[in-house]
Each structure stands twice: as structure tokens, then as C-alpha cells.
């Protein structure tokens, strides 16, 4: 990717998109194209296709998506399926029509079967049933992967799909109604400390294992791959290390400075028992994550909007 390349980053105000913009700017890429939702509604096919035909970016990072935690995924199933299918279909097909040769589609590790062999290799996709709580979102993302793969085969495009593990960092969503587990834990522990509570509640049993990747590490991986021709149409991005939710909650408690105890609400869903990505393909291309979990949590907490 040339330094003067015109690079479109969708979802540039979100956690992933903003991190990609930061990473591009730090590497000297100055011709970065962005649009807010008001300026360009990605659900509007005609508007998206017109925009891409007019701008003709050299590269597209697709970081725009409707995302949320277990509760939001399970409650707004139709919204998650429809909006993600529409956004990615408009962008991928529109990019092809506009002659955009290279594109990166960002998905999620939830695409893999619920009871997948661990660690999860890319070839395990579509080998078993999905986790029911986020099945609509996962199906939409799988469709995006297959769309990129199909356009590569039929039209000779170079559309790469990257599947990050659980992400966290600056510009994360800390709304307790629809956030992911790590930002929710950070906010709960912070507010419990401010109130002087004796305890704070964590959903589930605390036994599931999760892998977490600092979002600036993901952005680094994305830009690293964009500067190459990785060949593989699907690549996992993670640390290759996981922790239990119990261990995560205790680490958050230490970072935030909450000195009470943790109570586990086992009436709430645990979700997938374990999600650890096999990142050997990406490692073979020369990239590894750099931010230890405790350091990333400290950075995320310091950047949180309520930590002032």
C-alpha cells in the first residue's frame, strides 16, 4: 500500500475504526477518507455505491458494524442480522463495482462453532452449531467472509477477512445494557469503588475462558497485513492466550482499586465455554500482539469517559 494511497476507513468513530485511523496516521498515511453516519448511511445501498464510484479508494478497511454484548445480541437479533448483512453487502459489492481491488473485512471470533476444538483454527469455520445468543450476528459475519472469498474467486479481488478475538481499549462502549464483558467489568468495578460497595456482580459463573486483544494491537495487525498480500482470505487476530472470566474480574478489580468481593450471578448466561484463537497463520506472516492484558486494562481504564 503506497503512502499516498486513498484509504477508506468505515466506522472511524468506533473503537476499531478510530484505532486503525490512529495507526495509519502514525505511519504517515495522510490520504484517509472517512464519513460519519449523517454524511453516509451505510444501510443505503444507492448512497454507498454512488460514494464508492465517485471516490474510488485504493483500499478499504471495513470497521463499521452493529455490535454489542450478550444481552444486546440476544435481544435485538433481527437488527444485528439485517444491519450487518446490509452494511457489508453494500460495501463489498459497491467496492467491486467501483473497481476497488483490495479490501479488509473485520469480523469476530464468534463466527466459529460454540463447542469448537481449542485453539480455534480458521478451517474450523462452519464445522458445527453456533452459540445461540449471538447466532444472528455470527451468521451475518460468516456471510461477509464468504462474500469476500467468492469475489476473490470469481473476480480476482484481494479481499481479506480478519477475525479478531474479544477487543477492548479507547472508544469502547461502556453502556452496561449492551457492552461487552471487559468494559462492563471495568465500569461496574469503578462505580462500586466510588459508592464504597462491599461487592460487585459479574454475570455467569466466572468459569468460561476468553482471550482479549488491545484494540491498538488489532489496528497494528490490520495495517501490517494491508502492506502485504497475505494470500489467505481468512486470518485470526489475537494473542493466543486466554483467562477465565473470574481471573479477568480479579485483574480489573486490582487495576480499578476496588477492594470488595465479586459475586457471580449464575442465573445469567455464560455464553460460549471457551474461545481461544489459533494465531499461527498470522505469526507465520511475522506479526504478534504486543500489549499484555494488565497493561491494556490500565490503558483502557485511563481512557474511559467516566475516569476523569
Amino acid at each position: 500500500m503506497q503512502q499516498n494511497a486513498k484509504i477508506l476507513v468505515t466506522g472511524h468513530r468506533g473503537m476499531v475504526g478510530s484505532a486503525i485511523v490512529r495507526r495509519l496516521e502514525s505511519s504517515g498515511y495522510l490520504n484517509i477518507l472517512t464519513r460519519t453516519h449523517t454524511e453516509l448511511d451505510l444501510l443505503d445501498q444507492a448512497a454507498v455505491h454512488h460514494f464508492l464510484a465517485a471516490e474510488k479508494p485504493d483500499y478499504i478497511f471495513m470497521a463499521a458494524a452493529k455490535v454489542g454484548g450478550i444481552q444486546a445480541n440476544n435481544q435485538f437479533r433481527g437488527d444485528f442480522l439485517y444491519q450487518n448483512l446490509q452494511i457489508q453487502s453494500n460495501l463489498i459489492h459497491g467496492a467491486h463495482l467501483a473497481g476497488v481491488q483490495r479490501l479488509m473485512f473485520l469480523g469476530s471470533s464468534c463466527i466459529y462453532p460454540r463447542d469448537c476444538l481449542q485453539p480455534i483454527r480458521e478451517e474450523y469455520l462452519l464445522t458445527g452449531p453456533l452459540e445461540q445468543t449471538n447466532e444472528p450476528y455470527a451468521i451475518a459475519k460468516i456471510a461477509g467472509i464468504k462474500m469476500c472469498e467468492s469475489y476473490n474467486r470469481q473476480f480476482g479481488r484481494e479481499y481479506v477477512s480478519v477475525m479478531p478475538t474479544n477487543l477492548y481499549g479507547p472508544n469502547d462502549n461502556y453502556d452496561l445494557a449492551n457492552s461487552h464483558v471487559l468494559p462492563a467489568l471495568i465500569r461496574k468495578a469503578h462505580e462500586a469503588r466510588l459508592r464504597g460497595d462491599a461487592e460487585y456482580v459479574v454475570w455467569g459463573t466466572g468459569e468460561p475462558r476468553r482471550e482479549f486483544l488491545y484494540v491498538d494491537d488489532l489496528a497494528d495487525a490490520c495495517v501490517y497485513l494491508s502492506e502485504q498480500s497475505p494470500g489467505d482470505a481468512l486470518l485470526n487476530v489475537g494473542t493466543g492466550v486466554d483467562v477465565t472470566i473470574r481471573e479477568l474480574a480479579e485483574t480489573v478489580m486490582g487495576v480499578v482499586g476496588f477492594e470488595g468481593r465479586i459475586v457471580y450471578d449464575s442465573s445469567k448466561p455464560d455464553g460460549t465455554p471457551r474461545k481461544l484463537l489459533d494465531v499461527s497463520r498470522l505469526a507465520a506472516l511475522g506479526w504478534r500482539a504486543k500489549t499484555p492484558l494488565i497493561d491494556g486494562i490500565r490503558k483502557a481504564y485511563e481512557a474511559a469517559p467516566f475516569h476523569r
Side-chain angles (χ1 to χ4, degrees):
M1 193 162 62
Q2 301 295 322
Q3 286 286 307
N4 62 349
K6 182 187 284 188
I7 304 168
L8 172 62
V9 181
T10 67
H12 72 285
R13 287 182 167 179
M15 179 171 64
V16 173
S18 61
I20 291 174
V21 169
R22 286 196 301 273
R23 176 63 174 77
L24 287 168
E25 290 175 342
S26 71
S27 295
Y29 294 100
L30 300 178
N31 195 3
I32 301 171
L33 185 63
T34 61
R35 289 292 186 274
T36 64
H37 175 74
T38 302
E39 294 168 330
L40 178 64
D41 181 359
L42 297 178
L43 294 171
D44 184 335
Q45 183 187 75
V48 172
H49 288 189
H50 176 77
F51 170 77
L52 292 172
E55 293 291 346
K56 295 189 182 301
D58 298 300
Y59 199 99
I60 300 175
F61 289 97
M62 288 179 53
K66 181 173 179 60
V67 298
I70 289 178
Q71 182 174 342
N73 270 276
N74 207 23
Q75 184 175 358
F76 303 108
R77 298 174 74 87
D79 291 341
F80 274 84
L81 182 59
Y82 168 74
Q83 291 187 31
N84 284 300
L85 283 172
Q86 190 77 352
I87 289 168
Q88 63 204 34
S89 295
N90 290 346
L91 284 167
I92 294 169
H93 188 62
H96 165 66
L97 293 177
V100 178
Q101 180 64 12
R102 303 188 67 205
L103 171 152
M104 183 174 291
F105 173 66
L106 283 104
S108 164
S109 59
C110 74
I111 62 164
Y112 293 111
R114 181 183 190 276
D115 299 313
C116 212
L117 293 173
Q118 303 288 320
I120 304 171
R121 299 179 63 84
E122 288 89 347
E123 56 263 34
Y124 296 165
L125 182 65
L126 295 176
T127 59
L130 299 165
E131 161 61 34
Q132 282 298 306
T133 54
N134 59 20
E135 183 185 62
Y137 177 78
I139 286 174
K141 288 299 180 180
I142 291 169
I145 294 167
K146 291 302 179 181
M147 195 170 183
C148 289
E149 180 184 290
S150 298
Y151 278 52
N152 292 346
R153 288 189 183 184
Q154 184 174 350
F155 304 113
R157 298 302 184 193
E158 298 175 70
Y159 295 170
V160 176
S161 297
V162 296
M163 297 301 115
T165 189
N166 299 283
L167 299 170
Y168 68 101
N171 294 321
D172 207 342
N173 174 19
Y174 289 92
D175 182 347
L176 294 179
N178 57 25
S179 62
H180 289 100
V181 60
L182 183 44
L185 290 177
I186 291 173
R187 182 169 177 185
K188 282 183 176 182
H190 171 79
E191 292 182 352
R193 179 179 64 82
L194 291 183
R195 291 191 301 262
D197 293 351
E199 60 187 37
Y200 84 105
V201 178
V202 175
W203 275 29
T205 63
E207 298 308 313
R209 302 187 68 88
R210 291 290 183 272
E211 176 186 15
F212 296 92
L213 179 69
Y214 190 62
V215 71
D216 286 291
D217 281 358
L218 170 64
D220 185 63
C222 290
V223 175
Y224 180 84
L225 289 170
S226 74
E227 294 172 338
Q228 306 184 33
S229 294
D232 287 303
L234 174 60
L235 288 160
N236 290 337
V237 186
T239 63
V241 178
D242 63 359
V243 296
T244 66
I245 297 300
R246 184 180 300 273
E247 291 168 329
L248 179 70
E250 290 170 352
T251 302
V252 168
M253 187 171 71
V255 169
V256 172
F258 176 70
E259 297 181 350
R261 68 188 184 96
I262 303 169
V263 175
Y264 295 92
D265 182 358
S266 58
S267 70
K268 296 295 192 295
D270 270 335
T272 305
R274 191 183 191 196
K275 283 198 305 181
L276 176 64
L277 294 182
D278 183 309
V279 293
S280 56
R281 282 190 188 178
L282 190 54
L285 292 170
W287 189 90
R288 289 188 181 275
K290 303 174 181 66
T291 308
L293 181 58
I294 191 167
D295 293 344
I297 292 174
R298 287 194 185 103
K299 291 179 181 179
Y301 182 46
E302 289 169 2
F306 49 80
H307 185 241
R308 296 289 183 266

